[in-house]
Amino acid sequence: MHPEVEIAPAKLNLGLKILRRRKDGYHDIVSVLQTVDLCDRLVFAPAATGETLVRCNHPDVPSGPENLVSRAVEVLRRETGDNRGVRVDLDKRIPTGAGLGGGSSNAAATLRALDRLWGLRLGPGRLSGLAAELGSDVPFFLTGGTAIATGRGERIRPVDWVDEFWYVLVYPGFPVSTARAYQNVRIGLTEGGAYGTFLDFAEKSGRICAGRLFACLGNDFLPLVEAAGSGVAPILEALAASGAVASSVSGSGSTLFGVFREAREASVAVPRVQGRGRRVYLCRYRPRR
């Protein structure tokens, strides 16, 4: 195996509603997931038999067996009996603890890359099953694009997306623990409200009207993120003042984003939300693989 590069894109939750807490401790959700062109970069190279080496340029990313890249390698070995060694160099560009799915995307990239490089040919069904073992949104990242996620997030229904929008992503300078966020989120009394009703129709039709989606955009985690950092409200206000047609938080936080129809408006918004330890990214949709 020669060194090979695999790209792992971030995702946005274009709305997220918590429907109920399940008996297994997870929550049933409904959300639109979409990959964007903010990406991590993974380089895979051979290592000694049975060895998994993960090296990352970000100090907060673990390099041991708790890393989702290492776990993805072990899941493949268990499934196939293949004991080849691998070294993975991870160039981390997606913020951690940000609601952008960076770790899950890295895991999916590992499954994709080693299935190809080791000649495993597991097929979409087996890969998706392994991905679901690693995390609720890992199956989505196997192909990316735009999809409606239901269940605990592992049931993926790809949908067509034909609109062009720009996204300004703002990492506010603090992470949010996904586990803690789900422990404290307030579950609404309705089955997703207008957002859920719209997605029911979108799932049946197989496509999404972006204008209608952004008109009912909402995320049940936004109040928790607003409570976690005093700078959240000014960021959302600045995005709206810059011409964002919608704004919210991705996943359980902490990344906020604004949706813009024009690149010029999005570019103007960037300096307005910079500063105070924030990281700002100007992104576009990254289509399905």
Side-chain angles (χ1 to χ4, degrees):
M1 183 179 86
H2 299 290
E4 293 278 351
V5 175
E6 191 77 11
I7 299 301
K11 59 83 179 165
L12 289 179
N13 291 83
L14 300 179
L16 192 158
K17 291 293 178 181
I18 307 292
L19 302 181
R20 66 190 67 84
R21 185 178 176 88
R22 295 157 39 134
K23 293 181 179 178
D24 61 7
Y26 290 98
H27 292 75
D28 281 324
I29 69 163
V30 59
S31 181
V32 174
L33 306 179
Q34 185 173 95
T35 42
V36 294
D37 59 2
L38 170 63
C39 303
D40 289 343
R41 182 177 181 269
L42 297 88
V43 180
F44 295 84
T49 300
E51 188 173 47
T52 303
L53 300 173
V54 179
R55 302 187 301 189
C56 182
N57 62 347
H58 195 295
D60 293 338
V61 176
S63 58
E66 66 273 28
N67 187 294
L68 275 171
V69 170
S70 296
R71 290 173 55 194
V73 175
E74 293 312 309
V75 162
L76 280 174
R77 287 192 178 129
R78 183 208 68 207
E79 179 75 6
T80 64
D82 197 309
N83 202 34
R84 271 175 280 190
V86 62
R87 187 185 77 237
V88 186
D89 290 296
L90 172 57
D91 180 9
K92 192 72 180 160
R93 303 174 186 180
I94 303 170
T96 59
L100 298 175
S104 295
S105 189
N106 296 162
T110 301
L111 294 178
R112 284 196 312 268
L114 295 185
D115 182 60
R116 180 181 73 250
L117 298 172
W118 288 356
L120 302 176
R121 299 179 182 177
L122 295 179
R126 289 176 73 185
L127 280 177
S128 183
L130 297 177
E133 292 183 30
L134 295 166
S136 296
D137 55 1
V138 179
F140 165 71
F141 282 110
L142 289 173
T143 56
T146 306
I148 298 172
T150 55
R152 59 182 174 86
E154 88 287 5
R155 295 208 299 262
I156 302 300
R157 169 72 158 89
V159 289
D160 292 334
W161 181 276
V162 297
D163 300 276
E164 288 287 335
F165 287 90
W166 292 81
Y167 302 110
V168 175
L169 280 57
V170 186
Y171 177 71
F174 60 87
V176 168
S177 163
T178 300
R180 185 171 298 177
Y182 271 95
Q183 288 170 1
N184 293 284
V185 69
R186 186 171 182 178
I187 301 174
L189 299 177
T190 61
E191 291 285 302
Y195 181 78
T197 301
F198 168 71
L199 291 190
D200 283 343
F201 174 80
E203 192 168 14
K204 292 172 185 174
S205 67
R207 71 179 302 272
I208 280 182
C209 171
R212 289 184 60 198
L213 169 64
F214 294 137
C216 64
L217 197 67
N219 187 320
D220 286 340
F221 289 104
L222 183 56
L224 289 178
V225 177
E226 288 177 320
S230 59
V232 171
I235 292 171
L236 295 174
E237 291 167 3
L239 291 170
S242 301
V245 299
S247 59
S248 191
V249 64
S250 183
S252 58
S254 60
T255 297
L256 306 160
F257 66 91
V259 183
F260 294 85
R261 294 188 182 277
E262 303 293 337
R264 178 184 58 81
E265 293 178 326
S267 297
V268 168
V270 169
R272 293 182 177 179
V273 293
Q274 285 177 328
R276 299 185 182 180
R278 301 168 186 164
R279 279 177 270 169
V280 183
Y281 308 90
L282 181 59
C283 298
R284 300 181 74 179
Y285 173 47
R286 183 181 175 93
R288 182 180 174 86
R289 293 176 61 87

